[in-house]
Amino acid sequence: FPPPPVKRNHDTNSYNPGSLSLNTTYYWRIEAIDTPGGSTSGPTWSFSSKSKLPENNPPNVEIISPERGVYFRDKKILPRFIRLTLIIGSINIKVNATDEDSGIERVEFYINDKALGNDTTEPYEYTWKRDRLRGIHFFKINFIAYDNEGKSSEDSMIVKKYL
């Protein structure tokens, strides 16, 4: 500082400095020189290059409903002290998915490893309705969140469901 002259007799409105170094502060100033030799300097500006491009981390995904407890037609009727979630009837399953790098593309919903659908907008939800089976059965509910750069994360839980 002050920046040394880089280009003289530059007659265009732009300048390409070429490749820049990472994690470096650059300064520039324009100085106009007229034919008789007079000059006027403009202000000195600066910018800093980043140390590296941000790394794409996988998204975060977490089942927020149901929690541990007993549910009857999407209403929680017994609290969390129940060891395993019991669901009677239909339930709206909710997932929280976030990604600071590129955003969420979609969340896919699975029950016993069978794909049932996906959601592309918040809140990420799937309504699990009654099936043809009767009785109490164990099910694995699983959700996979994909970010806009192809990375994924998943969350799952085992529940008992009376269908």
Side-chain angles (χ1 to χ4, degrees):
F1 191 83
V6 175
K7 176 101 181 190
R8 296 193 186 273
N9 299 322
H10 193 69
D11 58 0
T12 63
N13 292 337
S14 63
Y15 173 72
N16 182 353
S19 296
L20 301 176
S21 298
L22 296 174
N23 201 28
T24 303
T25 300
Y26 291 91
Y27 299 90
W28 82 93
R29 178 179 71 205
I30 298 173
E31 185 174 337
I33 301 173
D34 61 17
T35 319
S39 68
T40 302
S41 291
T44 301
W45 294 310
S46 68
F47 70 92
S48 295
S49 60
K50 291 189 175 184
S51 59
K52 65 178 183 172
L53 293 174
E55 191 174 313
N56 180 28
N57 295 312
N60 297 314
V61 62
E62 173 187 27
I63 299 170
I64 55 176
S65 178
E67 300 174 314
R68 285 192 332 210
V70 177
Y71 288 79
F72 180 73
R73 294 186 182 164
D74 204 31
K75 301 286 186 215
K76 189 173 188 178
I77 58 174
L78 286 176
R80 297 177 69 116
F81 65 83
I82 303 296
R83 186 184 308 173
L84 192 64
T85 300
L86 174 62
I87 301 167
I88 302 167
S90 299
I91 189 165
N92 191 27
I93 301 170
K94 298 173 187 163
V95 176
N96 182 29
T98 57
D99 184 78
E100 295 179 8
D101 300 326
S102 65
I104 299 294
E105 178 192 344
R106 72 185 184 282
V107 176
E108 294 179 344
F109 303 95
Y110 296 83
I111 295 180
N112 288 345
D113 297 323
K114 179 182 176 187
L116 297 176
N118 65 67
D119 197 349
T120 58
T121 57
E122 288 185 79
Y124 303 103
E125 300 176 327
Y126 175 76
T127 301
W128 188 10
K129 297 181 180 179
R130 298 178 67 109
D131 285 335
R132 288 177 230 132
L133 298 173
R134 297 283 178 213
I136 296 177
H137 300 278
F138 287 95
F139 293 91
K140 176 184 174 190
I141 58 176
N142 191 41
F143 304 93
I144 303 175
Y146 294 89
D147 69 14
N148 288 309
E149 294 184 355
K151 296 234 177 166
S152 64
S153 292
E154 62 182 275
D155 193 13
S156 64
M157 69 186 303
I158 303 295
V159 300
K160 282 185 181 181
K161 187 164 191 305
Y162 178 76
L163 302 172

